[in-house]
Amino acid sequence: MLTLANLVLLVAFPISWFAPLLRAGLLPLFGLSRISVVSGLQALWGSDVMLALLVTFLAIFAPYLKTIGLALLHLGLLSPRVLPALTLLGKLAMADVFLIALYIVVVKGVGLATVRTDWGLYLFTGCVLASLALSIASKRAFHEG
């Protein structure tokens, strides 16, 4: 069951990166642009390379490397000794969800912009939380077995 759930995440994560996280626009009078993890990263690469590197690692590489690691672990191709490192990668992925939430709060607080969450935010957050839960379940399964 853990293996199947983890393999589903290998498909769900890339979908969540392209799904609309939020819709944002200047004042309620103008149309709202859809922003995804990928479109947000594209904008960051043009303005702040160091922040773009950090967010790319937190949003894409950390969760996906962790998911691949858990898949290899479940298939018996990786030692259970790597579980603490995989759990750390999962926790780092949570930092990106925090950054997105902080962005929404700050922009809404300014009052000149309109920000509405979209279904991709829930998908991305769900993937990260499911990945973290799979880490915990895998840790228990490998320590008991």
Side-chain angles (χ1 to χ4, degrees), residues 6-7 9 12 15 27 29 35 47 52-53 59-60 62 64 67 72 86 88 93 108-109 119-120 126 129 132 137:
N6 201 55
L7 293 175
L9 280 177
I15 292 170
L27 299 174
L29 306 173
I35 300 170
S47 62
L53 281 170
I60 294 179
Y64 212 65
T67 305
L72 293 172
L86 295 178
L88 176 64
K108 281 187 172 187
W119 65 272
L129 291 174
L132 194 56

Side-chain angles (χ1 to χ4, degrees), residues 16-21 35-43 55-56 59-60 96 100 120 124:
S16 75
W17 298 329
F18 291 93
L21 296 173
I35 300 170
S36 68
V37 170
V38 171
S39 68
L41 285 173
Q42 287 172 333
V55 174
T56 300
I60 294 179
D96 194 55
I100 294 167
F124 181 70

Side-chain angles (χ1 to χ4, degrees), residues 77-133:
L77 300 173
L78 197 60
S79 169
R81 291 182 297 194
V82 301
L83 268 172
L86 295 178
T87 303
L88 176 64
L89 283 173
K91 289 176 182 177
L92 288 173
M94 285 301 298
D96 194 55
V97 173
F98 171 75
L99 286 174
I100 294 167
L102 184 63
Y103 170 75
I104 292 169
V105 169
V106 167
V107 170
K108 281 187 172 187
V110 170
L112 294 176
T114 301
V115 177
R116 295 192 182 120
T117 57
D118 216 332
W119 65 272
L121 178 63
Y122 302 106
L123 176 61
F124 181 70
T125 303
C127 286
V128 171
L129 291 174
S131 180
L132 194 56

